[in-house]
Amino acid sequence: MSEATLAVIGAGPAGLAAALAAAARGIHVTLIDSATEAGGQFYRQPAAGLGARRPQALHHQWRTWERLRDGLHSHEQAGRVLHLTDHHVWFVERQGSAGLTVHALLGPEQEEPAEVRADAVLLATGGYEKVLPFPGWTLPGVVTAGGAQAMLKGGLVLPGRTVVVAGTGPLLLPVAAGLATAGATVAALVDSAAPGAFVRRSRALAAHPGKVAEGARYAGQLARHRVRTLLHHTVVEAHGTERLEAVTVAALDRDGRVRPDTRRRLVCDTLAVGHGMLPHTDLADALGCRVDGMAVHVDDEQRTDVPGVWAAGETTGIGGSALALAEGHIAGRSIAARLAGREPDPRGWAAAARARERLRAFFAAVDSVYAPPAHWAEQVTDETVVCRCEEVPAGAVREAVRELGAGDLRTVKLLTRAGMGWCQGRMCGPGVAGVAGCPETAGRRPFARPVPLGVLARAGENDSR
């Protein structure tokens, strides 16, 4: 009887937890990731050539990372895990009773194909940042909050000398604190969340004291570096000619509209901005998995509704590393049991299940606190580019709705080309939806990333044989 095999797509917290749990129970795991090192965005490590003496200074939960890293190395040495780096997965194909085939592109140029066959697949593809447009957001010097964090963690470089961190969401706190601790002057942390929202959700937030203490530590770091925190404020416009020179921020009223009399200009050379996270659902969509709203639907074992396919971590809903670890552990144990022909025993992951439920409740409360301003699109001028790939301005989107009768994102896309570029709407989708006044939905794309025609042709030849 051949050895049961699992392909884990994504080597962040969820993927690592699942790989370790499954490998420890006799499953041969192929861990597939686009990065050169395991860890994902959360445990992103500096390149070895940079000679970082204390990489742990850029992370919390370092001991958890060491346990995952050492466990991965142990299973690799024992031959239970094969870790494939620089593999960019673009499609997962069901092969009927023969399992599944993962299609990837190799290396930074992403032109050479690779295939991995497995009896089961875990989608642990994480999430990506949501960024809403505003006048000046395309200027050099405007970066995403996660991008600024990645530069610091992975490259040991600051995105600029004087930084404004803005938007909304729990990511802003560690980004601002990390930049200030590393030597940047953080001119302000600008968050659209209202203080009253925290008060209204205080009971739900206090039910997870560890997360509250984590936030308090970041707030303490900002206080030590004398960083101004402007709650219930938003960035109205970024200014500059060749690159960013300043931003205008303003307070919001009770309805989420800008109060013109509160506008102030902050001098800076970098704006790190983000409005939360969205789950990566492309591979799940192509497989036909059920997607609820913006997240992949799973059952108590982290199974999708497609046989042989599990999902864990941010792809099932944004919830941070601890939730991803719990979901990955549950998925790994479930997969191991089912591939061995056994009914899983939920008692084996009872602690992880309890943590999962607590964290899901906590992040549901967090989502209600950290919401973008209700009327943010009113500040987007007609000249503001909303789709950077195709250079579509907001005015063209509004004209498609007002004059041409577009009532959904697909029609807006067909009439304006917004979302037809390289990113296929991954980055501009929320912004276009907001400007158009259409519901924001997960995009359905046949492939998770652009694929060379030669690779598709070869794949077609193989299927016809």
Side-chain angles (χ1 to χ4, degrees):
M1 183 177 178
S2 60
E3 185 179 32
T5 57
L6 165 65
V8 175
I9 303 173
L16 287 171
L20 299 188
R25 287 158 182 83
I27 304 300
H28 184 272
V29 179
T30 302
L31 180 61
I32 308 167
D33 195 61
S34 59
T36 57
E37 299 287 342
Q41 170 70 358
F42 189 79
Y43 293 118
R44 182 186 289 270
Q45 304 297 307
L50 295 176
R53 293 190 298 272
R54 296 182 63 250
Q56 63 269 30
L58 300 173
H59 296 267
H60 65 289
Q61 300 181 11
W62 185 257
R63 290 185 179 178
T64 302
W65 160 244
E66 289 181 319
R67 177 179 60 81
L68 294 169
R69 179 196 63 196
D70 295 346
L72 175 62
H73 290 166
S74 176
H75 285 302
E76 283 186 286
Q77 291 172 357
R80 291 185 290 267
V81 173
L82 173 63
H83 182 199
L84 301 179
T85 61
D86 254 341
H87 279 59
H88 306 263
V89 177
W90 57 272
F91 190 60
V92 179
E93 181 181 10
R94 292 185 64 193
Q95 302 287 350
S97 59
L100 301 106
T101 299
V102 178
H103 296 272
L105 300 170
L106 299 180
E109 295 182 356
Q110 301 182 36
E111 293 184 352
E112 290 300 317
E115 293 183 358
V116 175
R117 297 183 185 275
D119 298 309
V121 166
L122 172 70
L123 304 176
T125 48
Y128 61 100
E129 282 188 274
K130 176 179 179 178
V131 180
L132 301 175
F134 51 88
W137 76 302
T138 59
L139 278 170
V142 180
V143 299
T144 67
Q149 187 182 60
M151 292 174 67
L152 183 59
K153 285 184 175 182
L156 302 181
V157 295
L158 294 171
R161 294 183 178 180
T162 305
V163 186
V164 170
V165 179
T168 193
L171 179 62
L172 300 188
L173 265 178
V175 169
L179 292 174
T181 302
T185 298
V186 179
L189 170 60
V190 182
D191 198 317
S192 61
F198 291 94
V199 175
R200 288 190 295 273
R201 291 291 184 175
S202 59
R203 180 175 297 181
L205 297 174
H208 211 292
K211 287 292 183 182
V212 175
E214 182 182 317
R217 285 196 298 272
Y218 288 132
Q221 292 177 27
L222 295 179
R224 286 195 296 275
H225 290 282
R226 299 181 180 180
V227 176
R228 285 182 292 176
T229 299
L230 303 175
L231 287 177
H232 213 210
H233 281 64
T234 190
V235 170
V236 176
E237 185 174 358
H239 308 280
T241 50
E242 296 298 320
R243 61 166 291 114
L244 182 70
E245 298 169 4
V247 297
T248 294
V249 302
L252 298 165
D253 65 18
R254 184 175 297 181
D255 295 325
R257 287 188 169 90
V258 166
R259 294 169 51 194
D261 59 320
T262 65
R263 292 176 184 244
R264 69 176 83 176
R265 190 179 178 104
L266 303 177
V267 175
C268 59
D269 57 33
T270 304
L271 171 63
V273 62
H275 299 91
M277 300 283 292
L278 295 171
H280 266 302
T281 62
D282 293 348
L283 294 176
D285 277 328
L287 276 163
C289 299
R290 172 181 163 187
V291 176
D292 291 340
M294 302 295 290
V296 179
H297 174 82
V298 292
D299 65 10
D300 289 344
E301 296 181 33
Q302 300 296 137
R303 292 182 298 177
T304 72
D305 57 347
V306 174
V309 180
W310 280 252
E314 310 281 46
T315 191
T316 68
I318 304 302
S321 63
L323 178 56
L325 289 169
E327 291 187 353
H329 181 77
I330 292 169
R333 293 186 68 130
S334 168
I335 293 167
R338 295 204 173 272
L339 289 183
R342 301 191 308 271
E343 190 71 21
D345 183 358
R347 292 175 297 181
W349 62 69
R354 289 193 295 271
R356 178 179 61 185
E357 297 313 308
R358 289 197 305 269
L359 287 163
R360 283 179 177 174
F362 175 81
F363 278 98
V366 167
D367 285 345
S368 68
V369 170
Y370 290 113
H375 299 279
W376 64 264
E378 295 176 3
Q379 298 302 312
V380 180
T381 63
D382 283 348
E383 297 74 28
T384 302
V385 171
V386 293
C387 172
R388 301 175 73 161
C389 296
E390 294 294 321
E391 299 183 347
V392 179
V397 172
R398 289 174 174 139
E399 182 182 2
V401 174
R402 185 176 58 248
E403 306 295 335
L404 304 178
D408 57 74
L409 276 181
R410 181 177 181 276
T411 306
V412 170
K413 179 178 181 179
L414 292 174
L415 292 173
T416 67
R417 294 192 59 81
M420 286 192 179
W422 185 263
C423 85
Q424 284 293 289
R426 291 171 182 83
M427 295 302 296
C428 69
V432 173
V435 170
C438 299
E440 185 180 342
T441 57
R444 288 194 168 273
R445 308 173 184 93
F447 305 135
R449 62 179 61 247
V451 186
L453 290 176
V455 171
L456 292 176
R458 275 178 278 179
E461 291 174 0
N462 293 336
D463 288 343
S464 63
R465 289 173 185 165

